[in-house]
Amino acid sequence: MSQQPKSRPKVPEGKARFYKTKQMEPNEKGFVGYQTIWDTLQKEVEYKTPKRP
């Protein structure tokens, strides 16, 4: 019987509406994790003091 490969296949970057996922490198035990990168949900605008009447 043939042995299964020890490395996992590379997964393409996932894109959703509010976040992206990327496959991380395997650690010494062979665990492959995924990194989640969140997009900003709201925009921040610089505060301007109002004009005096």
Side-chain angles (χ1 to χ4, degrees), residues 10-28:
K10 188 71 175 167
V11 176
E13 185 176 295
K15 294 182 183 177
R17 185 174 176 189
F18 296 114
Y19 63 91
K20 292 187 246 180
T21 57
K22 291 184 358 182
Q23 183 179 8
M24 299 184 337
E25 295 297 321
N27 63 7
E28 62 276 351

Side-chain angles (χ1 to χ4, degrees), residues 6 8 16 18 27-28 37-38 43-45 47 51:
K6 299 240 179 198
R8 298 200 44 154
F18 296 114
N27 63 7
E28 62 276 351
I37 304 166
W38 288 91
K43 296 180 182 178
E44 289 189 22
V45 179
Y47 178 74
K51 291 183 183 178

Side-chain angles (χ1 to χ4, degrees), residues 24-50:
M24 299 184 337
E25 295 297 321
N27 63 7
E28 62 276 351
K29 293 182 181 179
F31 176 75
V32 178
Y34 296 90
Q35 179 183 20
T36 303
I37 304 166
W38 288 91
D39 293 334
T40 55
L41 298 177
Q42 62 188 21
K43 296 180 182 178
E44 289 189 22
V45 179
E46 184 179 333
Y47 178 74
K48 297 177 184 173
T49 56

